[in-house]
Amino acid sequence: MRRLLFAANWKMQVDPAEARGYAAQFLGATAPVEGRTLWFFPPAVSIESAAGALRGRPDIRVGAQDVHWEPKGAFTGATSIPLARGAGAAGALVGHSERRHVFGESDEATGRKVRALLNAGLTAFLCVGEKLEEREAGKTEEVVLRQLRAGLAGVEAGALSGLVVAYEPVWAIGTGRNATAEDAARVHQTLRSELGRLGATTRVPILYGGSVNIGNALGLLAQPEIDGVLVGGASLDPDGWAEIVGIGG
Ligand code: PGA
């Protein structure tokens, strides 16, 4: 059976106490589904309480929304991989479009973070996606391939088993607009071919993200190229998110 990943990105929301309340409600509304893994990405301050409250469900993992590539040092405001791991993180998002476009994070910085995560044995969720003007200029493929190659620069083929890729068209994030399932699947195919050229021997999960909700999730997941979803807004309500992670299961 095909494995599916459901990833919840809470962004700058859900404090430690709210994370405990969310977890209790979510756990009460769901049971593990064979072949499905659930990831939660709380803000850094809530990783520990989310991980603690969700412990005991072997299908659930918690990750950080961002990490620094250095293990320690004078980087005020940043979260290192050892700090995130100590709080209960098993992986991290890297290069989310808000990191790239709001915080000006470069392709090169993204690559350093991916390498540091994989070297530490954590799962790296490398996010890629084109802006609206890039899509309209016919540059979707060029942009996502550039981001993928830069994000994986210096990564040995054998380490790709610790990787998840998320395709999130920037124009679809938080806007209520999303790519059609067929459009998304075409981009996933392009990414998958490139992963093959880079030497991936196992199937790297490729998630779709951008205004995913209960109404469109099933159509997206019906595409064999789409291995799961990365969800912001629709993951904030525990009952709504429970419905999405159970969809079609
Ligand atoms: P959205 O966010 O589901 O609210 O569009 C997705 C994301 O940014 O990961």
Side-chain angles (χ1 to χ4, degrees):
M1 196 216 292
R2 198 157 68 100
R3 291 202 68 79
L4 291 176
L5 268 70
F6 293 79
N9 175 11
W10 289 348
K11 307 194 180 184
M12 201 167 70
Q13 289 139 139
V14 189
D15 73 20
E18 288 167 341
R20 280 189 288 275
Y22 180 113
Q25 202 167 330
F26 179 79
L27 293 176
T30 60
V33 177
E34 172 79 29
R36 295 190 179 187
T37 304
L38 317 184
W39 280 83
F40 288 89
F41 295 94
V45 296
S46 300
I47 292 174
E48 187 167 17
S49 78
L54 294 164
R55 198 181 6 234
R57 272 279 296 266
D59 58 321
I60 296 183
R61 319 230 186 303
V62 173
Q65 294 174 11
D66 182 41
V67 285
H68 198 278
W69 56 84
E70 291 291 347
K72 63 179 175 180
F75 299 100
T76 300
T79 303
S80 71
I81 293 168
L83 289 173
R85 193 200 318 248
L93 302 179
V94 182
H96 185 277
S97 76
E98 287 143 25
R99 298 304 315 171
R100 293 177 189 270
H101 303 304
V102 181
F103 297 97
E105 195 163 294
S106 66
D107 284 345
E108 203 253 326
T110 297
R112 286 182 179 214
K113 293 176 181 189
V114 171
R115 288 196 295 281
L117 280 161
L118 296 177
N119 286 340
L122 271 68
T123 304
F125 285 69
L126 173 60
C127 305
V128 300
E130 82 286 3
K131 295 194 271 190
L132 184 59
E133 61 266 29
E134 294 165 334
R135 183 177 195 87
E136 286 172 344
K139 291 190 171 155
T140 297
E141 191 160 307
E142 180 187 323
V143 170
V144 298
L145 287 177
R146 189 200 76 226
Q147 292 172 336
L148 185 74
R149 290 180 190 129
L152 297 179
V155 173
E156 311 248 323
L160 294 174
S161 56
L163 180 74
V164 175
V165 172
Y167 169 54
E168 299 202 299
V170 179
W171 50 271
I173 296 177
T175 58
R177 298 179 58 186
N178 63 350
T180 65
E182 293 73 20
D183 271 356
R186 261 192 297 278
V187 178
H188 283 218
Q189 182 56 58
T190 300
L191 293 167
R192 192 169 305 289
S193 304
E194 183 64 16
L195 288 164
R197 267 191 292 278
L198 293 171
T201 50
T202 53
R203 184 179 173 96
V204 173
I206 306 180
L207 316 183
Y208 173 79
S211 295
V212 173
N213 58 39
I214 189 66
N216 57 29
L218 199 55
L220 289 160
L221 294 171
Q223 295 287 332
E225 277 305 325
I226 299 183
D227 301 307
V229 287
L230 175 56
V231 183
S235 73
L236 288 172
D237 166 49
D239 293 324
W241 183 233
E243 218 182 317
I244 291 177
V245 304
I247 203 163

